[in-house]
Protein backbone atom coordinates (compact mmCIF):
# COMPACT_ATOMS: atom_id res chain seq x y z
CA UNK A 1 0.00 0.00 0.00
CA UNK A 2 1.46 3.34 -0.92
CA UNK A 3 -0.76 6.25 -0.11
CA UNK A 4 0.08 9.82 -1.03
CA UNK A 5 1.54 11.45 2.06
CA UNK A 6 -0.03 14.84 2.81
CA UNK A 7 1.97 17.95 3.73
CA UNK A 8 0.50 17.77 7.20
CA UNK A 9 -0.46 14.63 9.04
CA UNK A 10 -3.02 15.41 11.73
CA UNK A 11 -4.48 12.96 14.18
CA UNK A 12 -8.20 13.00 14.91
CA UNK A 13 -9.06 14.17 18.42
CA UNK A 14 -10.14 10.62 19.18
CA UNK A 15 -6.68 9.36 18.18
CA UNK A 16 -4.85 11.60 20.66
CA UNK A 17 -2.91 9.77 23.40
CA UNK A 18 -4.83 9.31 26.66
CA UNK A 19 -1.75 8.20 28.58
CA UNK A 20 1.79 9.47 28.89
CA UNK A 21 4.61 7.00 28.32
CA UNK A 22 7.16 6.58 31.09
CA UNK A 23 10.29 5.49 29.22
CA UNK A 24 12.23 4.86 32.43
CA UNK A 25 10.02 1.89 33.23
CA UNK A 26 11.38 0.17 30.11
CA UNK A 27 15.04 1.10 30.68
CA UNK A 28 17.30 -1.77 31.69
CA UNK A 29 19.80 0.57 33.34
CA UNK A 30 17.75 3.04 35.35
CA UNK A 31 19.05 6.58 35.86
CA UNK A 32 20.81 6.99 39.22
CA UNK A 33 18.54 8.26 42.03
CA UNK A 34 18.25 11.93 42.96
CA UNK A 35 20.19 12.78 46.13
CA UNK A 36 19.17 15.01 49.00
CA UNK A 37 21.64 17.97 48.87
CA UNK A 38 22.10 17.92 52.67
CA UNK A 39 22.40 14.21 53.46
CA UNK A 40 23.61 13.05 50.01
CA UNK A 41 21.29 10.05 50.41
CA UNK A 42 18.67 9.10 47.79
CA UNK A 43 15.82 11.55 48.21
CA UNK A 44 12.54 10.23 49.63
CA UNK A 45 9.01 10.98 48.52
CA UNK A 46 8.43 12.97 51.74
CA UNK A 47 11.49 15.15 51.13
CA UNK A 48 10.64 15.67 47.49
CA UNK A 49 7.05 16.65 48.21
CA UNK A 50 8.32 19.57 50.29
CA UNK A 51 9.55 21.11 47.03
CA UNK A 52 7.19 19.65 44.39
CA UNK A 53 3.46 18.87 44.37
CA UNK A 54 2.73 15.40 45.73
CA UNK A 55 1.49 13.88 42.49
CA UNK A 56 4.49 15.29 40.64
CA UNK A 57 6.90 14.00 43.30
CA UNK A 58 5.31 10.58 42.76
CA UNK A 59 5.82 10.83 39.00
CA UNK A 60 9.39 11.97 39.57
CA UNK A 61 10.18 8.75 41.42
CA UNK A 62 8.06 6.37 39.34
CA UNK A 63 10.21 3.94 37.39
CA UNK A 64 7.78 1.03 37.27
CA UNK A 65 4.60 2.12 35.45
CA UNK A 66 5.12 2.27 31.68
CA UNK A 67 1.92 4.28 31.16
CA UNK A 68 0.27 6.96 33.29
CA UNK A 69 -3.25 8.25 32.60
CA UNK A 70 -3.52 11.86 31.44
CA UNK A 71 -6.25 13.39 33.64
CA UNK A 72 -9.33 14.44 31.68
CA UNK A 73 -8.93 18.14 32.50
CA UNK A 74 -5.46 18.05 30.96
CA UNK A 75 -6.70 16.14 27.91
CA UNK A 76 -9.31 18.89 27.47
CA UNK A 77 -6.70 21.63 27.59
CA UNK A 78 -4.45 19.70 25.20
CA UNK A 79 -7.29 19.65 22.70
CA UNK A 80 -7.23 23.46 22.50
CA UNK A 81 -3.85 23.44 20.77
CA UNK A 82 -3.17 19.80 19.95
CA UNK A 83 -2.75 17.48 18.18
CA UNK A 84 0.34 19.21 16.82
CA UNK A 85 0.88 18.62 13.11
CA UNK A 86 3.57 16.34 11.76
CA UNK A 87 4.71 18.15 8.63
CA UNK A 88 6.33 16.58 5.59
CA UNK A 89 8.93 19.15 4.54
CA UNK A 90 8.36 18.68 0.80
CA UNK A 91 9.45 22.26 0.01
CA UNK A 92 12.66 21.92 1.98
CA UNK A 93 13.46 18.55 0.38
CA UNK A 94 13.00 20.05 -3.06
CA UNK A 95 15.14 23.07 -2.25
CA UNK A 96 17.93 20.84 -0.93
CA UNK A 97 17.60 18.43 -3.85
CA UNK A 98 17.82 15.52 -1.44
CA UNK A 99 16.28 12.08 -1.82
CA UNK A 100 15.78 12.05 1.98
CA UNK A 101 12.25 12.34 3.33
CA UNK A 102 12.07 14.96 6.04
CA UNK A 103 9.33 15.32 8.64
CA UNK A 104 9.06 17.71 11.56
CA UNK A 105 6.75 17.77 14.54
CA UNK A 106 5.73 21.39 15.08
CA UNK A 107 5.14 22.42 18.70
CA UNK A 108 4.96 26.19 18.18
CA UNK A 109 1.19 26.44 17.67
CA UNK A 110 0.33 28.08 20.99
CA UNK A 111 0.98 31.49 22.54
CA UNK A 112 3.97 30.31 24.57
CA UNK A 113 5.48 29.42 21.18
CA UNK A 114 6.94 26.12 22.35
CA UNK A 115 6.36 22.60 23.62
CA UNK A 116 6.65 23.81 27.23
CA UNK A 117 2.90 24.19 27.61
CA UNK A 118 2.55 20.38 27.52
CA UNK A 119 4.18 20.11 30.94
CA UNK A 120 3.09 23.51 32.32
CA UNK A 121 -0.58 22.59 32.13
CA UNK A 122 0.06 19.26 33.86
CA UNK A 123 2.08 20.84 36.66
CA UNK A 124 -0.49 23.60 37.21
CA UNK A 125 -3.27 21.02 37.27
CA UNK A 126 -1.63 18.95 40.01
CA UNK A 127 -0.84 22.09 42.03
CA UNK A 128 -4.49 23.16 41.85
CA UNK A 129 -5.70 19.68 42.74
CA UNK A 130 -3.51 19.75 45.84
CA UNK A 131 -5.19 23.00 46.90
CA UNK A 132 -2.08 25.17 46.57
CA UNK A 133 -2.27 28.95 46.23
CA UNK A 134 0.48 29.26 43.69
CA UNK A 135 3.79 28.19 42.23
CA UNK A 136 7.20 29.73 41.65
CA UNK A 137 9.58 29.08 38.83
CA UNK A 138 12.50 30.43 36.83
CA UNK A 139 12.67 31.24 33.17
CA UNK A 140 15.62 31.89 30.90
CA UNK A 141 14.61 32.70 27.36
CA UNK A 142 11.03 33.10 28.60
CA UNK A 143 9.11 30.28 26.92
CA UNK A 144 8.70 28.27 30.09
CA UNK A 145 7.58 31.30 32.11
CA UNK A 146 5.04 32.14 29.43
CA UNK A 147 3.73 28.59 29.26
CA UNK A 148 3.40 28.39 33.02
CA UNK A 149 1.66 31.78 33.20
CA UNK A 150 -0.88 30.53 30.67
CA UNK A 151 -1.43 27.30 32.58
CA UNK A 152 -1.74 29.05 35.96
CA UNK A 153 -4.23 31.59 34.69
CA UNK A 154 -6.35 28.72 33.31
CA UNK A 155 -6.48 27.11 36.76
CA UNK A 156 -6.56 30.39 38.75
CA UNK A 157 -3.22 29.88 40.46
CA UNK A 158 -0.74 32.58 41.42
CA UNK A 159 2.44 32.38 39.34
CA UNK A 160 5.76 33.98 40.37
CA UNK A 161 8.49 33.90 37.78
CA UNK A 162 12.20 34.63 38.35
CA UNK A 163 13.50 35.66 34.96
CA UNK A 164 17.24 35.63 34.21
CA UNK A 165 18.17 39.32 34.30
CA UNK A 166 19.72 39.51 30.85
CA UNK A 167 16.55 38.06 29.26
CA UNK A 168 14.34 40.30 31.39
CA UNK A 169 16.11 43.27 29.87
CA UNK A 170 16.47 41.92 26.32
CA UNK A 171 13.00 40.46 25.98
CA UNK A 172 10.56 42.97 27.48
CA UNK A 173 7.72 41.65 25.34
CA UNK A 174 8.10 38.15 26.79
CA UNK A 175 7.75 39.71 30.21
CA UNK A 176 4.58 41.53 29.16
CA UNK A 177 3.01 38.36 27.79
CA UNK A 178 3.57 36.73 31.19
CA UNK A 179 2.09 39.72 33.00
CA UNK A 180 -0.88 39.68 30.65
CA UNK A 181 -1.57 36.15 31.88
CA UNK A 182 -1.39 37.47 35.45
CA UNK A 183 2.09 36.32 36.50
CA UNK A 184 4.50 38.46 38.50
CA UNK A 185 7.97 38.61 36.98
CA UNK A 186 11.15 39.42 38.93
CA UNK A 187 14.58 39.85 37.33
CA UNK A 188 17.09 37.40 38.85
CA UNK A 189 19.28 37.66 40.86
CA UNK A 190 17.04 39.83 43.03
CA UNK A 191 16.87 41.25 46.54
CA UNK A 192 13.73 39.21 47.27
CA UNK A 193 15.61 36.07 48.37
CA UNK A 194 18.56 35.25 50.59
CA UNK A 195 20.36 33.39 47.80
CA UNK A 196 19.70 36.28 45.39
CA UNK A 197 21.19 38.80 47.81
CA UNK A 198 24.20 36.54 48.34
CA UNK A 199 24.82 36.12 44.59
CA UNK A 200 24.49 39.90 44.08
CA UNK A 201 27.04 40.50 46.81
CA UNK A 202 29.51 38.00 45.33
CA UNK A 203 28.97 38.97 41.69
CA UNK A 204 27.82 42.59 41.54
CA UNK A 205 26.53 43.54 38.09
CA UNK A 206 25.93 39.89 37.11
CA UNK A 207 23.52 39.18 34.25
CA UNK A 208 22.14 36.19 36.10
CA UNK A 209 21.89 32.57 35.03
CA UNK A 210 19.32 29.80 34.97
CA UNK A 211 21.00 28.03 37.87
CA UNK A 212 20.73 31.11 40.03
CA UNK A 213 17.11 31.86 39.07
CA UNK A 214 16.24 28.25 40.02
CA UNK A 215 17.77 28.77 43.47
CA UNK A 216 15.71 31.90 44.03
CA UNK A 217 12.48 30.28 42.88
CA UNK A 218 13.04 27.24 45.12
CA UNK A 219 13.82 29.40 48.15
CA UNK A 220 10.68 31.46 47.55
CA UNK A 221 8.50 28.34 47.22
CA UNK A 222 9.75 26.54 50.31
CA UNK A 223 9.52 29.70 52.43
CA UNK A 224 5.97 30.67 51.33
CA UNK A 225 2.89 28.90 52.73
CA UNK A 226 0.79 27.17 50.05
CA UNK A 227 3.44 27.37 47.33
CA UNK A 228 5.54 24.81 45.51
CA UNK A 229 8.30 25.06 42.94
CA UNK A 230 7.88 23.87 39.37
CA UNK A 231 10.54 23.34 36.71
CA UNK A 232 10.12 23.25 32.94
CA UNK A 233 12.82 20.80 31.87
CA UNK A 234 15.45 18.28 33.07
CA UNK A 235 13.15 16.39 35.50
CA UNK A 236 11.66 12.96 34.90
CA UNK A 237 8.12 14.31 35.36
CA UNK A 238 8.68 16.85 32.58
CA UNK A 239 9.97 14.21 30.17
CA UNK A 240 6.90 12.15 31.06
CA UNK A 241 4.50 14.96 30.13
CA UNK A 242 6.46 15.69 26.96
CA UNK A 243 6.04 12.07 25.85
CA UNK A 244 2.83 13.37 24.23
CA UNK A 245 5.09 14.77 21.47
CA UNK A 246 6.60 11.40 20.65
CA UNK A 247 3.39 9.45 20.99
CA UNK A 248 1.55 11.75 18.60
CA UNK A 249 4.49 11.63 16.20
CA UNK A 250 4.57 7.84 16.29
CA UNK A 251 0.79 7.58 15.83
CA UNK A 252 0.89 9.96 12.84
CA UNK A 253 3.75 8.01 11.22
CA UNK A 254 2.02 4.69 11.87
CA UNK A 255 -1.10 5.96 10.10
CA UNK A 256 0.90 6.07 6.89
CA UNK A 257 3.21 3.15 7.73
CA UNK A 258 6.24 5.42 7.79
CA UNK A 259 9.29 4.19 9.72
CA UNK A 260 11.95 6.81 10.43
CA UNK A 261 15.65 6.00 10.14
CA UNK A 262 16.80 9.02 12.12
CA UNK A 263 15.11 10.97 14.93
CA UNK A 264 16.69 14.32 15.84
CA UNK A 265 15.98 16.81 18.62
CA UNK A 266 17.65 19.79 20.25
CA UNK A 267 18.70 19.34 23.85
CA UNK A 268 18.77 22.00 26.56
CA UNK A 269 17.66 20.16 29.68
CA UNK A 270 16.35 17.36 27.48
CA UNK A 271 12.57 17.56 27.84
CA UNK A 272 11.46 17.90 24.21
CA UNK A 273 14.07 15.41 23.06
CA UNK A 274 13.18 12.94 25.79
CA UNK A 275 9.50 13.28 24.89
CA UNK A 276 9.98 13.05 21.14
CA UNK A 277 12.20 10.00 21.19
CA UNK A 278 10.39 8.11 23.98
CA UNK A 279 8.29 5.65 21.92
CA UNK A 280 11.14 5.10 19.43
CA UNK A 281 13.68 4.57 22.21
CA UNK A 282 11.20 2.24 23.93
CA UNK A 283 11.11 0.03 20.82
CA UNK A 284 14.88 0.17 20.60
CA UNK A 285 15.36 -0.85 24.25
CA UNK A 286 12.82 -3.67 23.92
CA UNK A 287 14.70 -4.89 20.84
CA UNK A 288 11.74 -4.39 18.49
CA UNK A 289 13.30 -1.95 16.06
CA UNK A 290 16.43 0.15 15.64
CA UNK A 291 16.63 3.88 15.09
CA UNK A 292 19.46 6.39 14.91
CA UNK A 293 18.69 8.98 17.59
CA UNK A 294 20.62 12.26 17.73
CA UNK A 295 20.69 14.92 20.45
CA UNK A 296 21.90 18.34 19.29
CA UNK A 297 23.44 20.85 21.66
CA UNK A 298 25.21 24.20 21.26
CA UNK A 299 28.99 24.14 20.93
CA UNK A 300 29.10 26.90 23.56
CA UNK A 301 27.31 24.77 26.18
CA UNK A 302 28.26 21.18 25.28
CA UNK A 303 27.16 19.14 28.30
CA UNK A 304 26.87 15.76 26.56
CA UNK A 305 29.67 16.00 24.03
CA UNK A 306 32.28 17.49 26.40
CA UNK A 307 30.88 17.32 29.92
CA UNK A 308 31.45 14.80 32.71
CA UNK A 309 28.96 12.08 33.71
CA UNK A 310 28.70 12.65 37.44
CA UNK A 311 26.48 13.76 40.29
CA UNK A 312 26.02 17.52 40.23
CA UNK A 313 23.79 20.23 41.60
CA UNK A 314 20.92 21.32 39.37
CA UNK A 315 21.24 24.95 40.51
CA UNK A 316 23.92 27.47 41.45
CA UNK A 317 22.59 27.87 45.00
CA UNK A 318 22.79 24.10 45.56
CA UNK A 319 19.34 23.83 47.15
CA UNK A 320 17.85 21.38 44.60
CA UNK A 321 18.42 17.62 44.74
CA UNK A 322 21.60 16.38 43.06
CA UNK A 323 21.30 14.43 39.88
CA UNK A 324 23.71 12.14 38.03
CA UNK A 325 24.02 13.61 34.57
CA UNK A 326 26.31 14.89 31.87
CA UNK A 327 27.30 18.27 33.23
CA UNK A 328 29.69 21.17 32.72
CA UNK A 329 29.47 21.99 36.44
CA UNK A 330 26.71 23.99 38.12
CA UNK A 331 28.88 27.12 38.05
CA UNK A 332 29.39 26.97 34.28
CA UNK A 333 28.29 30.15 32.51
CA UNK A 334 28.03 30.01 28.72
CA UNK A 335 29.72 32.88 26.90
CA UNK A 336 27.60 36.06 26.88
CA UNK A 337 27.64 36.12 23.06
CA UNK A 338 25.68 32.87 22.99
CA UNK A 339 22.21 33.73 21.69
CA UNK A 340 20.76 30.38 20.84
CA UNK A 341 19.16 29.19 24.07
CA UNK A 342 19.90 25.69 25.44
CA UNK A 343 22.26 27.17 28.00
CA UNK A 344 21.64 24.82 30.91
CA UNK A 345 24.81 23.28 32.42
CA UNK A 346 23.40 19.76 32.79
CA UNK A 347 21.13 17.24 31.08
CA UNK A 348 18.15 15.07 32.03
CA UNK A 349 19.31 12.01 33.99
CA UNK A 350 17.27 9.72 31.73
CA UNK A 351 18.90 11.02 28.55
CA UNK A 352 22.30 10.99 30.27
CA UNK A 353 21.92 7.28 31.07
CA UNK A 354 20.74 6.46 27.53
CA UNK A 355 23.71 8.35 26.11
CA UNK A 356 26.13 6.64 28.50
CA UNK A 357 24.69 3.28 27.38
CA UNK A 358 25.33 4.13 23.72
CA UNK A 359 21.63 4.16 22.81
CA UNK A 360 21.81 7.65 21.32
CA UNK A 361 24.35 10.03 19.81
CA UNK A 362 25.06 13.66 20.62
CA UNK A 363 26.42 16.38 18.37
CA UNK A 364 27.31 19.97 19.07
CA UNK A 365 26.81 22.77 16.56
CA UNK A 366 28.02 26.37 16.38
CA UNK A 367 25.50 29.15 16.52
CA UNK A 368 26.25 30.81 13.17
CA UNK A 369 25.65 27.44 11.47
CA UNK A 370 22.45 27.13 13.51
CA UNK A 371 21.12 30.51 12.37
CA UNK A 372 22.11 29.70 8.81
CA UNK A 373 19.94 26.56 9.03
CA UNK A 374 17.12 28.54 10.68
CA UNK A 375 17.14 31.01 7.80
CA UNK A 376 17.17 28.32 5.11
CA UNK A 377 14.27 26.59 6.81
CA UNK A 378 12.23 29.78 7.33
CA UNK A 379 12.57 30.73 3.66
CA UNK A 380 11.02 27.54 2.33
CA UNK A 381 8.85 26.15 5.10
CA UNK A 382 7.31 29.47 6.19
CA UNK A 383 7.89 29.06 9.93
CA UNK A 384 10.40 31.32 11.71
CA UNK A 385 12.00 28.80 14.07
CA UNK A 386 13.16 29.36 17.63
CA UNK A 387 16.98 29.36 17.80
CA UNK A 388 16.74 26.31 20.07
CA UNK A 389 14.76 24.39 17.47
CA UNK A 390 17.20 25.45 14.77
CA UNK A 391 19.86 23.24 16.37
CA UNK A 392 17.77 20.24 15.32
CA UNK A 393 17.20 21.78 11.88
CA UNK A 394 20.97 22.12 11.43
CA UNK A 395 21.58 18.40 11.93
CA UNK A 396 18.50 17.44 9.88
CA UNK A 397 19.92 19.50 6.99
CA UNK A 398 23.35 17.93 7.44
CA UNK A 399 21.86 14.43 7.32
CA UNK A 400 19.67 15.27 4.31
CA UNK A 401 22.70 16.65 2.47
CA UNK A 402 24.63 13.46 3.24
CA UNK A 403 21.77 11.54 1.57
CA UNK A 404 22.14 13.78 -1.44
CA UNK A 405 25.74 12.62 -1.77
CA UNK A 406 25.07 8.95 -1.20
CA UNK A 407 21.67 8.76 -2.88
CA UNK A 408 20.15 7.15 0.22
CA UNK A 409 16.43 7.79 0.75
CA UNK A 410 16.51 8.01 4.53
CA UNK A 411 13.48 9.13 6.50
CA UNK A 412 14.39 11.87 8.95
CA UNK A 413 12.11 13.12 11.72
CA UNK A 414 13.03 16.13 13.83
CA UNK A 415 11.36 18.17 16.56
CA UNK A 416 10.55 21.76 15.66
CA UNK A 417 10.00 22.88 19.22
CA UNK A 418 8.88 26.44 18.68
CA UNK A 419 8.84 29.81 16.98
CA UNK A 420 11.44 32.57 17.30
CA UNK A 421 9.49 35.84 17.19
CA UNK A 422 10.95 36.97 20.51
CA UNK A 423 14.49 36.23 19.37
CA UNK A 424 14.79 38.94 16.77
CA UNK A 425 17.82 40.54 18.41
CA UNK A 426 19.67 37.30 17.75
CA UNK A 427 18.37 37.13 14.18
CA UNK A 428 19.38 40.79 13.74
CA UNK A 429 22.92 39.95 14.80
CA UNK A 430 23.01 37.11 12.30
CA UNK A 431 21.52 39.20 9.49
CA UNK A 432 24.05 41.97 10.19
CA UNK A 433 26.88 39.44 9.93
CA UNK A 434 27.84 40.14 13.55
CA UNK A 435 27.19 36.73 15.02
CA UNK A 436 30.30 35.02 16.34
CA UNK A 437 30.93 31.55 17.69
CA UNK A 438 32.46 30.91 21.03
CA UNK A 439 33.60 27.47 22.02
CA UNK A 440 34.84 27.01 25.57
CA UNK A 441 38.40 25.71 25.88
CA UNK A 442 39.24 22.36 27.49
CA UNK A 443 40.81 24.32 30.34
CA UNK A 444 37.61 26.28 31.00
CA UNK A 445 35.50 23.12 31.07
CA UNK A 446 38.05 21.30 33.23
CA UNK A 447 38.14 24.21 35.69
CA UNK A 448 34.36 24.20 35.99
CA UNK A 449 34.14 20.40 36.31
CA UNK A 450 36.88 20.42 38.97
CA UNK A 451 34.28 21.98 41.27
CA UNK A 452 31.87 19.06 40.90
CA UNK A 453 30.83 17.59 44.27
CA UNK A 454 32.94 14.57 45.20
CA UNK A 455 30.45 11.72 45.30
CA UNK A 456 31.13 8.00 44.60
C1 LIG B 1 12.98 25.39 26.33
C2 LIG B 1 13.09 25.13 24.92
C3 LIG B 1 13.96 24.16 24.41
C4 LIG B 1 14.92 23.37 25.25
O1 LIG B 1 14.40 22.72 26.36
P1 LIG B 1 14.39 21.15 26.48
O2 LIG B 1 13.93 20.89 27.86
O3 LIG B 1 15.77 20.66 26.23
O4 LIG B 1 13.43 20.66 25.48
C5 LIG B 1 13.97 23.93 23.05
N1 LIG B 1 13.19 24.62 22.22
C6 LIG B 1 12.34 25.58 22.66
C7 LIG B 1 11.51 26.32 21.67
C8 LIG B 1 12.25 25.85 24.02
O5 LIG B 1 11.42 26.78 24.46
Amino acid sequence: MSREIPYKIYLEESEMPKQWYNLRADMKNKPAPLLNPETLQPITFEELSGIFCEELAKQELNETDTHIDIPEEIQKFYKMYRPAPLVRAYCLEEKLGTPAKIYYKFEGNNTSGSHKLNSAIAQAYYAKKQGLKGVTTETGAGQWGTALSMACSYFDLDCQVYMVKVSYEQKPFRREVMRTYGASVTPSPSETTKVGRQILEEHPGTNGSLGCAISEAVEKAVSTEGYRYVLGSVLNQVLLHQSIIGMETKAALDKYEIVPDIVIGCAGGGSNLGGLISPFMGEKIRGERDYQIIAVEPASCPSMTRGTYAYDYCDTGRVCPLQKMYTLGSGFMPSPNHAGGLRYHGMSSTLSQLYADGLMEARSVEQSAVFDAATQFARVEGILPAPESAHAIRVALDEALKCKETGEEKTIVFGLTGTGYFDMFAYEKFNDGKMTDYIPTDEEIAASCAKLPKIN
Side-chain angles (χ1 to χ4, degrees):
M1 188 196 72
S2 121
R3 267 191 292 167
E4 183 76 17
I5 299 185
Y7 275 73
K8 283 188 182 144
I9 307 178
Y10 278 106
L11 298 177
E12 302 292 332
E13 265 180 24
S14 59
E15 296 170 314
M16 284 174 65
K18 294 181 177 57
Q19 294 181 312
W20 290 303
Y21 171 51
N22 184 19
L23 175 62
R24 268 185 315 158
D26 276 334
M27 286 171 67
K28 298 195 174 81
N29 296 332
K30 308 287 185 204
L34 294 172
L35 302 185
N36 179 319
E38 279 159 25
T39 64
L40 300 184
Q41 293 303 306
I43 202 156
T44 62
F45 170 73
E46 285 69 29
E47 290 165 341
L48 210 52
S49 46
I51 309 174
F52 301 128
C53 304
E54 278 165 26
E55 198 57 38
L56 293 166
K58 241 186 248 168
Q59 292 179 357
E60 193 59 35
L61 298 173
N62 186 333
E63 51 180 38
T64 48
D65 298 320
T66 54
H67 291 84
I68 293 174
D69 288 342
I70 305 176
E72 282 203 7
E73 288 91 332
I74 301 176
Q75 287 190 41
K76 252 168 53 185
F77 189 90
Y78 278 166
K79 282 177 188 162
M80 277 198 280
Y81 70 100
R82 311 194 68 82
L86 180 71
V87 185
R88 172 76 184 268
Y90 281 118
C91 303
L92 181 64
E93 289 168 18
E94 199 179 306
K95 186 79 177 181
L96 296 173
T98 175
K101 302 179 181 70
I102 309 174
Y103 295 83
Y104 57 91
K105 179 73 169 166
F106 181 47
E107 290 288 328
N109 265 332
N110 70 79
T111 297
S112 80
S114 83
H115 64 286
K116 297 224 169 55
L117 193 54
N118 301 333
S119 182
I121 194 62
Q123 298 197 42
Y125 167 79
Y126 291 119
K128 185 69 183 181
K129 210 174 131 211
Q130 195 175 322
L132 298 179
K133 291 185 202 138
V135 292
T136 70
T137 198
E138 77 296 327
T139 197
Q143 289 95 316
W144 168 246
T146 310
L148 190 69
S149 308
M150 293 172 69
C152 285
S153 67
Y154 184 76
F155 285 122
D156 249 330
L157 276 170
D158 183 41
C159 179
Q160 301 189 4
V161 181
Y162 285 88
M163 186 169 187
V164 178
K165 194 169 147 220
V166 58
S167 304
Y168 183 89
E169 285 162 2
Q170 282 180 1
K171 296 186 169 185
F173 293 153
R174 270 269 174 228
R175 182 182 76 212
E176 286 320 307
V177 178
M178 288 185 252
R179 293 180 61 214
T180 303
Y181 282 97
S184 58
V185 187
T186 308
S188 166
S190 76
E191 298 282 346
T192 67
T193 62
K194 211 166 81 191
V195 61
R197 289 189 292 273
Q198 197 180 327
I199 292 168
L200 281 172
E201 203 175 279
E202 284 166 23
H203 308 275
T206 174
N207 278 328
S209 71
L210 260 187
C212 120
I214 295 176
S215 306
E216 287 205 271
V218 172
E219 181 187 321
K220 187 75 183 183
V222 300
S223 61
T224 314
E225 170 71 29
Y227 279 72
R228 289 292 185 283
Y229 167 69
V230 296
L231 177 61
S233 184
V234 186
L235 298 172
N236 298 319
Q237 52 186 282
V238 184
L239 266 73
L240 175 73
H241 307 146
Q242 296 297 356
S243 68
I244 185 100
I245 305 174
M247 295 182 71
E248 278 187 10
T249 302
K250 183 83 172 47
L253 291 170
D254 286 349
K255 252 180 128 159
Y256 287 86
E257 297 173 18
I258 305 161
V259 180
D261 298 293
I262 312 178
V263 184
I264 302 167
C266 64
S271 74
N272 87 82
L273 179 71
L276 173 68
I277 69 173
S278 59
F280 305 100
M281 186 59 88
E283 288 188 338
K284 189 165 170 159
I285 291 172
R286 297 189 302 269
E288 296 163 11
R289 199 169 246 160
D290 199 17
Y291 300 96
Q292 184 181 7
I293 295 175
I294 310 175
V296 191
E297 59 185 16
S300 57
C301 194
S303 52
M304 296 175 104
T305 50
R306 295 177 68 201
T308 303
Y309 190 33
Y311 267 108
D312 193 11
Y313 295 94
C314 294
D315 61 322
T316 317
R318 306 186 161 193
V319 290
C320 284
L322 285 95
Q323 177 167 289
K324 189 174 178 195
M325 59 184 172
Y326 281 89
T327 178
L328 296 163
S330 62
F332 183 82
M333 299 262 179
S335 149
N337 84 343
H338 170 66
L342 310 175
R343 45 171 66 237
Y344 186 62
H345 67 273
M347 184 53 57
S348 133
S349 62
T350 299
L351 292 183
S352 293
Q353 185 65 47
L354 293 168
Y355 181 56
D357 289 342
L359 290 160
M360 59 187 250
E361 300 168 29
R363 288 190 203 164
S364 72
V365 288
E366 295 174 23
Q367 67 174 354
S368 48
V370 166
F371 276 81
D372 174 58
T375 306
Q376 286 190 53
F377 179 86
R379 290 182 184 179
V380 285
E381 288 291 320
I383 299 169
L384 185 89
E388 293 89 345
S389 322
H391 288 72
I393 301 177
R394 176 70 268 164
V395 170
L397 292 186
D398 292 345
E399 289 300 317
L401 291 172
K402 266 189 222 161
C403 289
K404 186 175 174 174
E405 274 174 31
T406 62
E408 285 175 288
E409 295 181 24
K410 285 190 182 169
T411 296
I412 300 169
V413 173
F414 73 89
L416 187 70
T417 49
T419 47
Y421 306 121
F422 290 101
D423 299 282
M424 297 323 289
F425 281 125
Y427 273 95
E428 181 183 39
K429 233 180 177 177
F430 178 73
N431 292 332
D432 286 345
K434 289 185 181 148
M435 184 164 272
T436 52
D437 296 313
Y438 181 82
I439 302 175
T441 62
D442 289 342
E443 289 71 28
E444 282 172 281
I445 291 178
S448 177
C449 286
K451 294 184 200 136
L452 285 170
K454 304 278 175 285
I455 295 165
N456 69 31

